[in-house]
């Protein structure tokens, strides 16, 4: 059969070249679609990983506003408690956790670092009543994003850990330290008012950090990160007058891929009202950054199916015409007692030999096709993302104010996040290199196309008897 197949290919050189060209085009387009599919999946995994493995539990003011009745005031007494947070810390997927209180304070012993905006004539009158310092109280500073992603760098002393529980230790920024001539080991006091009672708290400096990213520095007093003081959670509880309430709970998972599974498990296992509280696994940011990749992946999948269907149809038509011109040959072979299976097998061998050569060539040329299509899709996606970003950068004032208040609660763990994302995988070139999985998939698709393209026309011809075939001779 192989010898006959080779002779047939040599004899019908025009048909052989035509089939070769068509199969090369099909395999190149299929490998391009498959490689783009795998590349987009890989990029989506990178984005998910870049978002971190943390899930934040906090009060969902946005949802509370959405669910309130017209003219109904939103309660200011809704608070997240350590009891609620504790109900999730031992769930599956949780590797570590941190509770955080974000509050504010003034001081009579040190001065806040001032910026140009503090002295601006455009500042509203209430700015003079603004507090000077942000207090970020944590169980531990070990997992805070600003330090783990090197936006903040420890320059002296150490960060706070669980061993600092119930102490008055703190960590401050280097500009705040130098402006007030402070160093590790020095003490100072901060004050705040709770229920008309003035609370004074002494703090001891155990570490000094420096902000590495220049776009972190700005705004006035309270909003200026150089005026952030990190303390143990107990200090935050003292300054807020509550031993139970916290601003947020951050759960660090064993794998970023388990974020959604953890959220679902938390909703199933806990009694927390998730109409009032939210578990933020960065899904919104993930969807925004991954939406273009998902569209690209869907397009690639649809593209592969179109190529497979169209390619199979074209090959079927060509082989149907070819077999039609070989009626006499097939009739003679059947008359001589050759089985229909062998005749079909010979046809498969002929197409298979062409497909093998086309397959090997497409492994090289398909890489070029993949890069071309990938760049074309990336350009289209980048344009769409830029348009979305421009629209998204123009919120109304009320919404902006509401969002900034909510964002302040999570500012120490999510600082400069979007800035980092714009430098992350979303701006990397799409890796459309051909993988071993792509090769296996291409081999399977090519084989399927060859089988279908042979089986359909062969089934039509071989349903006839040798007498019927010979009576038609060669068409």
């Amino acid at each position: 059969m192989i010898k006959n197949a080779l002779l047939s290919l040599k004899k019908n050189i025009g048909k052989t070249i035509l089939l070769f060209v068509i199969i090369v085009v099909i395999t190149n387009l299929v490998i391009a679609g498959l490689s783009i599919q795998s590349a987009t999946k890989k990029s989506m995994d990178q984005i998910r990983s870049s978002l971190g493995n943390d899930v934040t539990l906090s009060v969902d003011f946005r949802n509370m506003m959405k669910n309130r009745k017209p003219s109904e005031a939103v309660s200011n007494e809704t608070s997240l408690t350590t009891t609620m947070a504790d109900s999730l810390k031992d769930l599956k997927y949780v590797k570590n956790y941190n509770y955080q209180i974000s509050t504010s304070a003034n001081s009579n012993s040190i001065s806040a670092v001032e910026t140009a905006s503090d002295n601006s004539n455009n500042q509203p009158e209430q700015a003079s009543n603004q507090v000077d310092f942000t207090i970020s109280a944590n169980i531990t500073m070990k997992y805070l994003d600003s330090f783990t992603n090197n936006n903040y760098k420890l320059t002296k002393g150490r960060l706070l850990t669980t061993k600092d529980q119930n102490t008055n230790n703190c960590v401050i920024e280097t500009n705040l330290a130098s402006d007030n001539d402070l160093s590790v080991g020095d003490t100072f006091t901060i004050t705040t008012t709770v229920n008309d009672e003035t609370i004074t708290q002494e703090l001891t400096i155990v570490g000094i950090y420096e902000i590495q990213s220049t776009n972190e520095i700005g705004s006035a007093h309270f909003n200026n990160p150089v005026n952030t003081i990190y303390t143990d959670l107990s200090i935050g509880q003292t300054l807020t007058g509550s031993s139970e309430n916290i601003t947020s709970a951050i759960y660090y998972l064993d794998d970023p891929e388990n974020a959604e599974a953890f959220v679902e498990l938390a909703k199933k296992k806990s009694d927390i009202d998730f109409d009032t509280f939210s578990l933020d696994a960065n899904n919104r940011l993930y969807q925004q950054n991954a939406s273009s990749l998902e569209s690209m992946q869907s397009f690639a999948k649809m593209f592969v199916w179109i190529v497979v269907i169209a390619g199979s149809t074209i090959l079927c038509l060509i082989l149907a015409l070819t077999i039609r011109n070989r009626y006499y040959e097939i009739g003679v072979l059947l008359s001589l007692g050759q089985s229909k299976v062998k005749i079909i097998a010979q046809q498969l061998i002929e197409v298979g030999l062409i497909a093998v050569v086309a397959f090997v060539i497409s492994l090289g040329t398909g890489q070029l096709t993949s890069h071309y299509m990938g760049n074309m899709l990336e350009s289209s996606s980048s344009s769409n993302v830029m348009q979305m970003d421009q629209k998204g950068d123009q919120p109304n004032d009320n919404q902006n104010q509401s969002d900034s208040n909510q964002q302040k609660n999570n500012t120490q763990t999510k600082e400069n996040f979007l800035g980092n994302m714009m430098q992350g995988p979303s701006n990397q070139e799409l890796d459309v290199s051909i993988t071993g999985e792509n090769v296996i998939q291409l081999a399977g698709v090519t084989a399927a196309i060859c089988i279908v393209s042979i089986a359909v026309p062969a089934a039509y011809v071989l349903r006839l008897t040798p007498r019927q075939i010979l009576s038609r001779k060669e068409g």
Side-chain angles (χ1 to χ4, degrees):
M1 284 191 298
I2 296 178
K3 184 178 180 181
N4 290 338
L6 290 171
L7 289 172
S8 178
L9 291 176
K10 187 176 180 181
K11 178 184 176 182
N12 301 289
I13 190 67
K15 181 206 73 172
T16 301
I17 294 174
L18 178 61
L19 289 175
F20 173 75
V21 171
I22 291 174
I23 294 177
V24 166
V25 171
I26 292 172
T27 51
N28 270 270
L29 294 176
V30 169
I31 194 66
L34 293 174
S35 59
I36 290 173
Q37 269 188 274
S38 61
T40 51
K41 184 179 185 304
K42 188 189 301 181
S43 295
M44 288 168 69
D45 290 340
Q46 289 176 343
I47 292 176
R48 177 71 263 180
S49 297
S50 73
L51 291 174
N53 62 337
D54 56 299
V55 179
T56 303
L57 176 66
S58 59
V59 178
D60 192 345
F61 290 107
R62 187 188 298 271
N63 199 39
M64 290 172 65
M65 286 290 293
K66 187 189 300 183
N67 293 332
R68 71 187 180 93
K69 296 178 181 178
S71 303
E72 181 182 9
V74 177
S75 174
N76 292 324
E77 298 179 359
T78 302
S79 299
L80 178 66
T81 66
T82 53
T83 301
M84 295 179 190
D86 285 343
S87 67
L88 304 183
K89 70 179 184 180
D90 295 321
L91 290 181
K92 184 181 178 182
Y93 310 122
V94 177
K95 190 175 182 180
N96 294 290
Y97 66 94
N98 180 34
Y99 297 166
Q100 185 180 76
I101 295 175
S102 184
T103 186
S104 58
N106 288 307
S107 177
N108 294 322
S109 60
I110 62 171
S111 300
V113 176
E114 293 189 359
T115 60
S117 59
D118 292 328
N119 301 317
S120 172
N121 293 329
N122 296 325
Q123 288 292 315
E125 294 181 6
Q126 60 265 29
S128 59
N129 298 322
Q130 205 173 43
V131 291
D132 289 335
F133 302 100
T134 296
I135 307 300
S136 178
N138 301 268
I139 291 179
T140 177
M141 294 177 65
K142 183 177 179 180
Y143 309 108
L144 295 184
D145 288 352
S146 294
F147 292 92
T148 57
N149 62 22
N150 295 320
N151 280 342
Y152 293 2
K153 181 180 178 182
L154 184 70
T155 56
K156 295 179 182 177
R158 62 180 179 81
L159 299 179
L160 300 177
T161 67
T162 52
K163 294 181 180 179
D164 293 288
Q165 185 177 359
N166 296 320
T167 67
N168 64 343
N169 295 335
C170 73
V171 175
I172 65 174
E173 207 274 334
T174 184
N175 290 285
L176 180 61
S178 60
D179 278 16
N180 291 279
D181 196 24
L182 297 172
S183 59
V184 173
D186 290 346
T187 61
F188 62 92
T189 59
I190 55 175
T191 61
T192 189
T193 301
V194 178
N195 297 326
D196 297 326
E197 179 184 350
T198 300
I199 296 176
T200 301
Q201 176 67 53
E202 184 179 72
L203 299 177
T204 301
I205 302 170
V206 297
I208 297 175
Y209 69 93
E210 182 179 12
I211 297 176
Q212 301 292 300
S213 179
T214 55
N215 62 354
E216 289 285 331
I217 302 175
S219 302
H221 287 351
F222 181 79
N223 292 322
N224 193 337
V226 300
N227 292 318
T228 295
I229 301 173
Y230 291 89
T231 71
D232 174 59
L233 191 72
S234 60
I235 300 297
Q237 291 172 332
T238 299
L239 296 176
T240 56
S242 172
S243 60
E244 270 286 308
N245 296 344
I246 57 176
T247 302
S248 61
I250 303 96
Y251 303 94
Y252 302 94
L253 309 184
D254 53 4
D255 191 322
E257 294 295 322
N258 293 327
E260 292 185 12
F262 170 72
V263 172
E264 292 301 317
L265 182 64
K267 291 180 178 179
K268 185 182 298 183
K269 295 288 186 179
S270 71
D271 295 327
I272 298 174
D273 179 10
F274 287 103
D275 286 332
T276 304
F277 302 93
S278 67
L279 267 175
D280 179 15
N282 297 322
N283 285 338
R284 182 174 61 85
L285 292 174
Y286 174 73
Q287 293 299 330
Q288 287 177 351
N289 284 275
S291 59
S292 61
L293 289 173
E294 287 178 339
S295 299
M296 199 182 299
Q297 189 177 45
S298 298
F299 171 81
K301 180 182 285 188
M302 182 176 66
F303 179 78
V304 169
W305 276 108
I306 291 174
V307 170
V308 169
I309 294 171
S312 299
T313 303
I314 293 171
L315 284 178
C316 280
L317 292 172
I318 293 174
L319 290 171
L321 293 174
T322 301
I323 290 176
R324 185 181 179 85
N325 292 329
R326 296 173 66 179
Y327 273 176
Y328 186 76
E329 177 188 342
I330 294 172
V332 170
L333 291 174
L334 288 173
S335 298
L336 293 175
Q338 192 166 46
S339 68
K340 294 181 179 181
V341 173
K342 285 188 176 182
I343 294 175
I344 295 176
Q346 181 179 326
Q347 301 291 322
L348 279 173
I349 291 172
E350 291 178 19
V351 177
L353 290 173
I354 298 172
V356 168
V357 178
F359 174 82
V360 173
I361 292 175
S362 68
L363 294 180
T365 57
Q367 187 75 64
L368 299 175
T369 308
S370 299
H371 278 294
Y372 176 77
M373 289 184 61
N375 291 336
M376 184 173 63
L377 289 171
E378 275 189 309
S379 299
S380 175
S381 299
S382 298
S383 300
N384 292 336
V385 170
M386 288 178 65
Q387 291 175 7
M388 288 173 63
D389 287 345
Q390 290 171 358
K391 292 177 182 178
D393 288 340
Q394 301 174 356
N396 60 62
D397 292 340
N398 293 333
Q399 182 66 40
N400 204 10
Q401 180 66 30
S402 174
D403 287 350
S404 66
N405 291 336
Q406 184 174 359
Q407 183 181 5
K408 191 64 187 175
N409 292 335
N410 297 312
T411 189
Q412 308 308 325
T413 57
K414 302 298 177 189
E415 291 156 341
N416 204 30
F417 176 77
L418 289 175
N420 293 334
M421 278 302 303
M422 292 304 105
Q423 300 169 2
S426 58
N427 269 359
Q428 293 179 1
E429 184 180 353
L430 196 66
D431 182 11
V432 291
S433 55
I434 298 173
T435 65
E437 184 181 0
N438 295 149
V439 174
I440 294 173
Q441 289 174 330
L442 177 62
V445 170
T446 305
I449 290 175
C450 291
I451 292 171
V452 170
S453 61
I454 284 292
V456 173
Y460 170 75
V461 173
L462 296 180
R463 68 185 177 83
L464 303 174
T465 65
R467 186 186 188 90
Q468 291 174 318
I469 293 174
L470 287 172
S471 66
R472 301 189 181 192
K473 293 188 178 181
E474 293 189 359

